[in-house]
């Protein structure tokens, strides 16, 4: 009985916390998408793309001296941001979830970060609405990732965020905290 209970708890833990991106399915979805940008192929690629920073690292990153299965797959990132049949709200929500808990790296994270910045700056109002419902630590974490770079391009907070400053001072303060922490950790 004890063995069965241990097995079940291990199984539940692995299925709850150990789920990773199926890189073989993601590779196939990427190939299918490159051959045919149909709604079905775009949705499949979107669904299989990582949902968190941890999953992103396990798929595209380099940790503990080991390259992830798609470490050299930088072309996967712009393809994700080019999914024109997925509503921007769903894309941005996934981007936010990937960003929370993240930090800049000189690999695929850098490519993701580059595309994320552009998308957020084009959609500041939507980004605000999507983040507003999250806990304060997650909001600050998102902005830490957003501003964290080896050579910061935003030493000052971009003007695109000025409207948030006048609309929601508490939220803007979290943005500032994320920016300050990112500046402290950026650079060589």
């Amino acid at each position: 009985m004890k063995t069965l209970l241990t097995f079940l708890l291990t199984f539940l833990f692995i299925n709850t916390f150990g789920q990773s991106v199926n890189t073989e399915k993601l590779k196939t979805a990427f190939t299918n998408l490159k051959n045919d940008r149909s709604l079905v192929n775009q949705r499949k690629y979107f669904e299989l793309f990582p949902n968190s920073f941890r999953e992103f690292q396990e798929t595209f990153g380099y940790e503990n001296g080991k390259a992830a299965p798609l470490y050299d797959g930088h072309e996967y990132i712009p393809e994700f941001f080019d999914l024109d049949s997925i509503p921007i709200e769903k894309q941005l929500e996934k981007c936010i979830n990937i960003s929370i808990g993240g930090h800049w790296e000189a690999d695929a994270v850098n490519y993701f970060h580059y595309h994320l910045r552009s998308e957020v700056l084009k959609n500041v109002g939507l980004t605000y609405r999507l983040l507003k419902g999250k806990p304060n630590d997650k909001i600050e974490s998102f902005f830490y990732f957003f501003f964290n770079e080896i050579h910061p391009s935003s030493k000052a907070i971009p003007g695109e965020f000025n409207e948030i400053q006048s609309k929601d001072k508490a939220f803007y303060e979290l943005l500032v905290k994320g920016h300050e922490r990112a500046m402290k950790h950026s650079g060589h």
Side-chain angles (χ1 to χ4, degrees):
M1 183 67 173
K2 201 175 195 181
T3 305
L4 179 61
L5 183 60
T6 303
F7 171 77
L8 287 174
L9 288 173
T10 303
F11 179 78
L12 284 172
F13 179 81
I14 289 170
N15 281 329
T16 304
F17 299 106
Q19 287 182 332
S20 294
V21 172
N22 184 324
T23 54
E24 290 308 313
K25 285 184 178 180
L26 184 60
K27 284 181 190 177
T28 300
F30 178 76
T31 301
N32 291 343
L33 184 60
K34 294 299 277 180
N35 292 329
D36 176 19
R37 296 197 56 79
S38 70
L39 176 63
V40 170
N41 287 342
Q42 287 191 46
R43 283 187 178 158
K44 189 66 173 174
Y45 187 72
F46 181 79
E47 289 168 8
L48 291 169
F49 201 81
N51 290 306
S52 67
F53 190 75
R54 181 188 59 77
E55 286 182 359
F56 190 89
Q57 283 290 80
E58 289 173 355
T59 305
F60 298 107
Y62 191 90
E63 289 188 312
N64 302 322
K66 185 178 177 210
L70 297 177
Y71 177 72
D72 291 328
H74 299 299
E75 68 273 12
Y76 284 71
I77 311 309
E79 201 63 44
F80 172 77
F81 283 92
D82 280 343
L83 298 173
D84 59 7
S85 67
I86 305 298
I88 186 62
E89 186 167 339
K90 286 183 79 171
Q91 284 182 316
L92 203 48
E93 180 70 35
K94 186 174 259 207
C95 289
I96 287 168
N97 290 336
I98 292 169
S99 301
I100 292 171
H103 57 275
W104 186 89
E105 298 273 336
D107 52 24
V109 173
N110 182 37
Y111 287 86
F112 179 81
H113 186 266
Y114 171 79
H115 289 283
L116 170 78
R117 289 178 58 84
S118 174
E119 214 49 55
V120 166
L121 291 174
K122 283 191 293 189
N123 296 287
V124 170
L126 178 57
T127 302
Y128 168 76
R129 285 196 324 270
L130 293 171
L131 280 168
K132 184 66 179 157
K134 298 197 179 295
N136 289 353
D137 62 328
K138 305 269 188 222
I139 296 169
E140 183 183 338
S141 177
F142 170 80
F143 284 111
Y144 171 78
F145 178 76
F146 182 83
F147 290 114
N148 185 231
E149 298 177 273
I150 194 73
H151 300 292
S153 60
S154 294
K155 292 184 181 178
I157 295 172
E160 287 88 343
F161 294 112
N162 288 347
E163 186 178 323
I164 293 173
Q165 183 179 18
S166 60
K167 182 180 1 182
D168 189 336
K169 293 195 184 316
F171 184 94
Y172 191 79
E173 196 170 302
L174 296 168
L175 185 154
V176 169
K177 284 182 183 179
H179 179 265
E180 288 172 349
R181 193 163 57 96
M183 292 303 102
K184 182 178 174 184
H185 295 136
S186 294
H188 291 281

